[in-house]
Amino acid sequence: MASFSTESPLAMLRDNAIYSSLSDAFNAFQERRKQFGLSNPGTIETIAREVQRDTLLTNYMFSGLRADVTKAFSLAPLFQVSHQFAMGERLNPYAFAALYGTNQIFAQGNLDNEGALSTRFNYRWGDRTITKTQFSTGGGQDMASFEHEHLGDDFTASLKAINPSCLDGGLTGIFVGDYLQAVTPRLGLGLQAVWQRQGLTQGPDTAISYFARYKADDWVASAQLQAQGALNTSFWKKLTDRVQAGVDMTLSVAPSQSMMGGLTKEGTTTFGAKYDFRMSTFRAQIDSKGKLSCLLEKRLGAAPVTLTFAADVDHITQQAKLGMSVSIEASDVDLQEQQEGAQSLNIPF
């Protein structure tokens, strides 16, 4: 609570029964929260990361041929550049990327052969507060995003603005507020509020979504209820030290566009597993629509070379896709010696 000198003209705001009661109640509430032993529950964006980001193949699948060459110039601070050459569906023939990171700053830039540029810049103000910015231009869409995130002892709060503008005489853009609170040592509850306005000729739209996450010793369950009527649930289980599995289910209910009215229901369930071997990682998944996918990442001995094979078979449409990539990480001998004695960075990604 704020404190004022006894000689300050604002001292009267503190020296009264109302202020004392509020201060005592606030301090008692803070002490009670500490007694629960709650920890930070993470963020809304990563509420189902064990399933959607680590186990399933959504962020890994590709088709065609791809080659990545990465050159690291420094480890502390981290500075590296990469070149990507590709041929296939939804892959740019060439892309260049540069990355710089310290304990306080993270900067990344990507430029492809068509001139599309995307940048990210994050700045850590302290141990608990990070500001994140993202800009992209080209490809027919320009985007600017600003986010401020605060990590408390037992909660996470953030505020994001996407393409904000007030140049036309009114406020437009998309504004998102997230809050995730740990209510027990294992359970976290949160909500997300969205306010958006495409233009001044249209009225604003608002939406609220709800989130829950429960983390046990070897399994994690999460649920998301979206404002549009979509329900997403996930379950992740660590089977052994090298094997983990997860299930992700999405169910959406929306008004039907037919003359008869009613509701339209659509749902998809995906089961995936991940196997970590000594020199390779294998992921596989199958969904309720008959789509089977698998991906193998193989590291070639002590050489900084990784081979990736991807396959996707859709039994309903009778279509199959294949992908293969090679990734090479080049570094000098001096840099390898620096890596052995360097301390790990806590980069604000």
Side-chain angles (χ1 to χ4, degrees):
M1 298 294 249
S3 61
F4 305 104
S5 171
T6 55
E7 299 179 356
S8 171
L10 298 178
M12 59 176 295
L13 298 178
R14 184 195 62 181
D15 299 334
N16 58 76
I18 297 178
Y19 180 91
S20 299
S21 300
L22 293 176
S23 178
D24 293 341
F26 178 80
N27 293 331
F29 176 72
Q30 291 295 91
E31 291 297 329
R32 186 64 178 257
R33 288 174 62 180
K34 293 180 180 179
Q35 293 176 2
F36 286 114
L38 304 178
S39 59
N40 186 277
T43 64
I44 291 291
E45 294 182 351
T46 60
I47 198 168
R49 65 180 181 275
E50 290 85 0
V51 175
Q52 298 177 357
R53 296 192 180 186
D54 296 339
T55 305
L56 299 184
L57 304 180
T58 306
N59 298 327
Y60 300 93
M61 283 301 300
F62 67 96
S63 61
L65 301 176
R66 191 180 69 192
D68 299 309
V69 181
T70 302
K71 170 69 174 179
F73 294 92
S74 175
L75 295 178
L78 176 63
F79 176 60
Q80 65 182 34
V81 299
S82 64
H83 305 268
Q84 182 183 96
F85 306 89
M87 180 177 62
E89 184 180 1
R90 294 194 301 269
L91 293 177
N92 293 315
Y94 173 76
F96 171 80
L99 183 148
Y100 177 83
T102 66
N103 290 326
Q104 192 175 28
I105 294 174
F106 169 72
Q108 182 182 29
N110 296 273
L111 179 66
D112 63 22
N113 59 288
E114 296 180 352
L117 174 67
S118 63
T119 63
R120 294 175 57 198
F121 181 81
N122 301 346
Y123 186 83
R124 175 181 281 119
W125 300 93
D127 295 337
R128 300 175 179 271
T129 306
I130 301 176
T131 297
K132 303 177 181 181
T133 62
Q134 184 174 353
F135 302 93
S136 63
T137 181
Q141 287 186 334
D142 297 335
M143 190 270 293
S145 173
F146 307 90
E147 181 179 2
H148 191 71
E149 182 180 86
H150 179 76
L151 304 176
D153 292 332
D154 57 4
F155 72 93
T156 299
S158 68
L159 181 63
K160 177 186 289 188
I162 303 174
N163 290 340
S165 176
C166 58
L167 301 179
D168 298 330
L171 184 62
T172 59
I174 303 175
F175 300 87
V176 183
D178 295 341
Y179 185 83
L180 185 61
Q181 172 71 54
V183 294
T184 71
R186 296 182 181 274
L187 178 63
L189 300 177
L191 58 84
Q192 181 183 81
V194 180
W195 185 96
Q196 62 178 343
R197 191 176 189 180
Q198 299 288 342
L200 296 181
T201 58
Q202 303 175 2
D205 296 325
T206 59
I208 297 180
S209 304
Y210 303 92
F211 301 82
R213 172 183 169 90
Y214 188 89
K215 182 177 181 181
D217 294 334
D218 59 353
W219 60 271
V220 177
S222 66
Q224 308 175 34
L225 179 60
Q226 305 291 338
Q228 297 82 4
L231 173 65
N232 176 265
T233 60
S234 65
F235 179 81
W236 174 88
K237 172 73 173 179
K238 183 177 182 180
L239 303 177
T240 67
D241 292 339
R242 295 179 176 271
V243 182
Q244 53 185 279
V247 179
D248 185 82
M249 184 194 72
T250 301
L251 175 65
S252 61
V253 179
S256 176
Q257 301 296 328
S258 63
M259 298 293 293
M260 301 298 295
L263 297 176
T264 301
K265 301 177 182 179
E266 295 182 358
T268 303
T269 300
T270 305
F271 172 79
K274 175 184 176 183
Y275 300 82
D276 288 318
F277 301 98
R278 188 174 66 88
M279 297 297 294
S280 61
T281 299
F282 178 75
R283 292 179 174 89
Q285 74 176 39
I286 185 171
D287 62 27
S288 57
K289 296 183 178 180
K291 189 175 182 180
L292 175 65
S293 306
C294 61
L295 184 138
L296 174 65
E297 294 176 324
K298 174 66 176 179
R299 294 173 292 279
L300 302 182
V305 179
T306 301
L307 296 179
T308 303
F309 302 92
D312 189 308
V313 179
D314 193 329
H315 291 86
I316 302 299
T317 61
Q318 299 296 318
Q319 293 183 352
K321 298 179 182 179
L322 296 175
M324 184 181 70
S325 74
V326 55
S327 301
I328 302 175
E329 297 182 3
S331 60
D332 298 331
V333 177
D334 296 340
L335 196 62
Q336 296 177 359
E337 296 177 353
Q338 177 186 352
Q339 183 178 5
E340 297 177 356
Q343 297 180 355
S344 60
L345 295 176
N346 184 19
I347 301 176
F349 289 109

